Amino acid sequence: AERTGMTETWLKKHRLVYIGATRHPLILSIRDGTIDLSSFKRWLGQDYIFVRAFVPFVASVLLKAWKESDDGSDMEVILGGVASLNDEIAWFKKEASKWGIELSGIVPQKANLDYCRFLESLMSSEVEYIVAITAFWAIETVYQESFAHCLEDGSKTAEELKDTCQRWGNDSFGQYCRSLERIANRCLEKASDDVVSKAEVVFLRVLEHEIEFWNMSHGET
Ligand code: HMH
């Protein structure tokens, strides 16, 4: 995809970490058809808990957009994100029942709790809109790039996992991620060096949390 602006600079600068987050062994094993289903189920249960914590985070970004954004259309893009999370929660329930997973019995693992706490820290009114929208873009984009990889030509993704890959790997989710990226870049262009470097740190933290999140599927903790 064509990229301009600060996000492109960061993706180049932190390319190895980005690849770590978007080409994780769990994703590669979905793509090559060798995935161990217990890893997939562990990821699914943990991600349901994550998504529930992600809703108030996205709502906090919406609130910041309303207060701080100079472009009224930002709010509409973020509101679209809130709406798709509503579908996503319903999807998790349906998917969990398909795999025989009892969602009410899932205990959040340490990496998940750490990631949710990080989201909560970004909800503070002290955190600038630019920093929060950067995190939001990065969180969504990691899933889009990861799952889209499992749907590319030549991938051997099992039929029963394709619905999961479609959820985040589909083209309209890709468009939505690019809208978030355009918002982030527009804001970053006008931001002070201080805020830009805060946003870069948060971008890197997101990538690290995403890697730790995938790592949970191994079940060593
Ligand atoms: C851990 N990151 C994680 N879960 C998700 N569902 C997304 C990103 C995308 O919404």
Side-chain angles (χ1 to χ4, degrees), residues 46 49 105-113 116 216:
Q46 292 297 318
I49 294 175
I106 307 262
V107 178
Q109 301 292 299
K110 183 176 182 295
N112 201 352
L113 292 170
C116 292
M216 262 188 315

Side-chain angles (χ1 to χ4, degrees), residues 50 57 111-124 127 131 135-136 139 198-199 201-207 209-210:
F50 175 83
F57 166 72
N112 201 352
L113 292 170
D114 289 349
Y115 201 173
C116 292
R117 246 192 303 273
F118 170 72
L119 287 184
E120 205 174 334
S121 73
L122 296 176
M123 291 184 219
S124 155
V127 173
V131 174
F136 185 31
I139 293 167
K198 274 199 241 176
V201 168
V202 161
F203 166 67
L204 262 182
R205 289 269 147 77
V206 166
L207 298 182
H209 280 295
E210 290 289 338

Side-chain angles (χ1 to χ4, degrees), residues 47 50-51 54 88 115 139-140 143 168 173 210 213:
D47 210 44
F50 175 83
V51 167
F54 192 47
E88 211 162 293
Y115 201 173
I139 293 167
E140 298 289 46
Y143 262 42
W168 292 279
F173 197 79
E210 290 289 338
F213 200 93

Side-chain angles (χ1 to χ4, degrees), residues 76-96:
E76 287 157 41
V77 174
I78 301 160
L79 185 60
V82 175
S84 78
L85 284 169
N86 187 41
D87 289 349
E88 211 162 293
I89 286 180
W91 176 84
F92 270 103
K93 291 180 180 167
K94 187 189 72 171
E95 196 68 13

